[in-house]
Amino acid sequence: MVQPVTGFPGVTVETDVRCRLSDGVELLADVYRPEGAGGPYPVLLQRTPYGKQGAQSETAFAHPAWYAHQGFIVVVQDVRGRYASGGEFYPFRDEGRDGYDAVEWAAGLPGSNGRVGMYGFSYAGFTQLLAAVEQPPSLAAISPAMTNSQAYEGWTHNKGAFAYAFNAFWSSYLGIAEAVRRGDQERIEALSGALMHAPDNFWMAPEAFPALDRDITPYYFDWIEHPTYDDYWARWSIDSDYSRIQVPALHVAGLYDVFVSGTKRNFVGLRSGASTAEVAARQKFVVAPFHHMPWYPVVEVEDANSKVVDDWQVRFFTETLKETGTGTFESPVSTYVLGAGWRDFSAWPPQEAKMERLFLHSGGRANTRFGDGTLDTQTPGDELPDLYIYDPNAPVMSEGGHSCCVEELTPMGPACQCQREKARGLLVYTTAPQERDVDVVGDVTLTLYAASSAADTDWTARLCLVDEDGCSRNLQEGIVRAAFRESLTTPQPITPGEVYEYVIDLGPVSARVPAGARLRIDVTSSDFPQWARNSNSGYPGDGVPQVATQTVLHTAEYPSHLTLPMVPA
């Protein structure tokens, strides 16, 4: 049925339009069309598991009718096995081939000029990348927002640690929609109840999270049972070969998004690994001050709300699909610098960035923010190590961070760390007040030389900005499971008491450190429930939780340090 869209003269919507895939499964879509002179039109295709009627406009983008009003046919399709579409849903599995079929079908719709662009964020961003790998002839551009470069590292796991809060939440959310499809009211209530009480339920082991089972969410248990990067994961890895993607892309990231590192990897990977120089040059990276959803600035600013992404997408698709110059690619990187506003750069990290090392120091008592831990550019000498106790039954809790998808249930965004930094099981290292404004723009890493009394453990870190009033707010965080320190495919156990080097990737940062402010790194062994707790019982960690003594060294032989990209303000 074709109906006009109220308030948008000349825009119509046709609901439940059928797309028959090559294997016979039918997917349903809603199609929004601009009517009248000006056609034929390019097509914007969104493939979502969250309901075509919403089209992600309830959390992120403008409504499809708005995009149609800009001169595009907009197609919003339920992916296989979700909402109105047929087939069985299993995350990632069918999106490449289904995406190929959907693109070619969309290109042939009445009124189409045969050129298709794809948009959408999160899973609807990953569907674009998987489709692009298949190289459908009619695909001319993609805009994968807030999505990852693979389904393992940065999605379900981080350096061997299971991303508990995000994946339990996401699986429960997916399970509720599946229960609705089945008409199973009892299951709907059980999953909804477990989700609403997630902060309490996270204290259970990941495989025991209530209401999830192999019938309703089999994939969740598959993710847990594949803790290393193996063939199960490799089939969905975009970053294994970026030359397969041969179209321009607008990569939209959020500074507090769970996928900010993966979105950055896609941009950098396509800039350096695209099949042609032309494709490499037509990659754009926009970094907004958002967490995963809903899209609103984590700081009170007027020029960084969700409308910014809509505007960038119209500009990008006008250039790539309508072949009208808009200057989209003049500056490959446009990032919001927290505390300073938008800045344009020619690369990520910026070419003008100077990589600076800040070394950890203390007199052996860096525990809590009241301790003696410091950061500076001087290489450490003969210094006492810092020790703390990590008890898996009393972890250091997440305050804000990079998770998904509801702040009250899965901690995300910036948050005051002052209460967290009172824990003696946490080491705190802080710089002197900054003499002049400087911007940290690029990827931050912590190189840690450490030992544990356990047979396996985790090392976590949080980079914070401390203002002149002493408020410490998180900018980024990271983790490494000790057994995964060298490889995600072949974990190696550690010897208790032996010193190892651990490199913790904290990921992209874009923030101004104003004069008078300080940088801080917090080090501990848990960031819960963002990541599942390590039991300290030895990899794979199925034993009884054990208390461990953790030792962080900072000497000439073991110079633990933070590496930051510093850009003149």
Side-chain angles (χ1 to χ4, degrees):
M1 176 183 295
V2 179
Q3 296 179 318
V5 178
T6 303
F8 283 89
V11 176
T12 64
V13 58
E14 183 179 5
T15 58
D16 295 334
V17 182
R18 295 182 180 275
C19 165
R20 188 174 180 85
L21 301 176
S22 55
D23 66 355
V25 170
E26 288 191 330
L27 308 185
L28 270 60
D30 293 344
V31 181
Y32 297 80
R33 288 187 175 89
E35 300 294 333
Y41 300 98
V43 178
L44 300 185
L45 170 64
Q46 180 185 122
R47 304 190 63 253
T48 175
Y50 305 120
K52 58 185 175 63
Q53 184 176 8
Q56 297 193 310
S57 62
E58 69 273 41
T59 57
F61 306 108
H63 193 274
W66 182 87
Y67 279 93
H69 188 65
Q70 313 306 312
F72 300 93
I73 295 173
V74 184
V75 179
V76 186
Q77 182 182 74
D78 289 333
V79 301
R80 179 188 294 255
R82 298 292 288 177
Y83 291 86
S85 289
E88 178 187 57
F89 176 73
Y90 189 99
F92 318 117
R93 183 184 62 195
D94 302 299
E95 306 304 353
R97 196 66 215 173
D98 288 0
Y100 181 105
D101 290 349
V103 166
E104 294 308 302
W105 165 81
L109 288 171
S112 165
N113 70 0
R115 295 175 64 79
V116 178
M118 298 182 75
Y119 80 107
F121 87 102
S122 196
Y123 191 88
F126 207 62
T127 62
Q128 300 172 53
L129 294 163
L130 290 170
V133 165
E134 300 294 326
Q135 300 177 10
S138 301
L139 185 62
I142 57 175
S143 181
M146 293 193 187
T147 195
N148 209 41
S149 59
Q150 57 172 267
Y152 176 75
E153 179 62 24
W155 196 306
T156 56
H157 296 75
N158 293 90
K159 287 296 182 73
F162 186 63
Y164 190 9
F166 167 38
N167 287 293
F169 178 96
W170 186 45
S171 296
S172 298
Y173 186 75
L174 293 173
I176 291 169
E178 176 60 25
V180 171
R181 277 171 64 95
R182 299 181 186 185
D184 189 339
Q185 185 61 34
E186 183 177 348
R187 184 69 63 83
I188 294 170
E189 293 174 0
L191 286 162
S192 299
L195 192 56
M196 291 302 100
H197 292 90
D200 294 327
N201 294 331
F202 287 141
W203 291 93
M204 302 179 186
E207 59 271 18
F209 193 87
L212 295 177
D213 60 45
R214 291 188 180 277
D215 174 56
I216 198 78
T217 54
Y219 37 84
Y220 176 77
F221 298 92
D222 292 341
W223 301 338
I224 293 171
E225 292 171 4
H226 288 269
T228 65
Y229 181 73
D230 57 16
D231 290 343
Y232 173 85
W233 300 108
R235 52 187 165 162
W236 302 314
S237 290
I238 307 301
D239 52 17
S240 62
D241 182 5
Y242 280 110
S243 70
R244 298 173 296 173
I245 296 178
Q246 300 181 354
V247 294
L250 170 63
H251 307 269
V252 179
L255 284 173
Y256 285 92
D257 179 47
V258 64
F259 297 133
V260 62
S261 291
T263 307
K264 180 269 303 183
R265 277 196 298 270
N266 289 331
F267 168 73
V268 173
L270 278 162
R271 288 279 289 179
S272 62
S275 58
T276 68
E278 180 183 7
V279 173
R282 289 166 70 81
Q283 304 295 316
K284 174 73 179 183
F285 190 34
V286 174
V287 189
F290 302 160
H291 52 38
H292 196 71
M293 59 181 247
W295 287 7
Y296 58 81
V298 297
V299 290
E300 293 296 327
V301 293
E302 291 295 327
D303 60 348
N305 53 42
S306 60
K307 295 193 294 291
V308 168
V309 178
D310 293 321
D311 292 343
W312 268 112
Q313 289 197 142
V314 169
R315 184 176 172 185
F316 168 75
F317 285 125
T318 296
E319 179 149 333
T320 56
L321 301 183
K322 298 183 179 182
E323 299 181 326
T324 300
T326 63
T328 297
F329 304 106
E330 289 177 358
S331 296
V333 176
S334 295
T335 181
Y336 192 90
V337 180
L338 293 171
W342 289 98
R343 293 190 68 176
D344 292 331
F345 297 103
S346 60
W348 187 276
Q351 292 180 340
E352 51 267 64
K354 176 185 177 182
M355 302 306 294
E356 185 168 289
R357 285 187 173 186
L358 298 179
F359 294 92
L360 279 60
H361 299 277
S362 82
R365 294 185 294 177
N367 310 74
T368 81
R369 61 188 173 96
F370 306 106
D372 62 359
T374 62
L375 280 172
D376 62 37
T377 58
Q378 298 300 310
T379 303
D382 185 15
E383 298 182 1
L384 289 174
D386 291 303
L387 287 80
Y388 65 91
I389 300 299
Y390 164 51
D391 181 353
N393 292 317
V396 175
M397 305 297 291
S398 305
E399 293 288 346
H402 291 68
S403 190
C404 168
C405 293
V406 175
E407 290 178 87
E408 294 78 14
L409 303 179
T410 53
M412 60 183 186
C416 180
Q417 304 296 300
C418 292
Q419 188 65 33
R420 188 175 187 266
E421 290 169 350
K422 291 179 180 179
R424 291 196 60 80
L426 184 144
L427 305 179
V428 178
Y429 304 90
T430 311
T431 66
Q434 188 71 29
E435 293 182 358
R436 61 183 62 87
D437 293 358
V438 66
D439 292 342
V440 179
V441 181
D443 299 333
V444 178
T445 61
L446 174 66
T447 301
L448 201 66
Y449 294 93
S452 174
S453 65
D456 188 46
T457 195
D458 288 347
W459 302 97
T460 71
R462 285 198 167 208
L463 177 68
C464 302
L465 179 62
V466 186
D467 65 24
E468 291 187 86
D469 294 327
C471 178
S472 174
R473 293 194 181 276
N474 54 302
L475 294 174
Q476 260 291 11
E477 67 278 345
I479 189 170
V480 59
R481 184 145 290 186
F484 288 77
R485 67 198 178 278
E486 296 178 353
S487 171
L488 301 180
T489 59
T490 54
Q492 297 292 324
I494 61 171
T495 301
E498 187 170 322
V499 178
Y500 295 92
E501 179 186 75
Y502 299 96
V503 178
I504 303 176
D505 295 320
L506 299 180
V509 172
S510 181
R512 175 156 295 177
V513 186
R518 295 171 291 162
L519 284 170
R520 173 174 289 172
I521 191 74
D522 295 342
V523 178
T524 185
S525 292
S526 53
D527 194 326
F528 176 77
Q530 181 159 329
W531 291 294
R533 294 167 288 170
N534 193 317
S535 68
N536 291 337
S537 60
Y539 182 79
D542 298 327
V544 175
Q546 299 177 18
V547 175
T549 298
Q550 314 288 63
T551 304
V552 171
L553 297 95
H554 34 83
T555 64
E557 183 181 4
Y558 299 115
S560 296
H561 60 274
L562 187 65
T563 305
L564 307 102
M566 311 294 266
V567 179

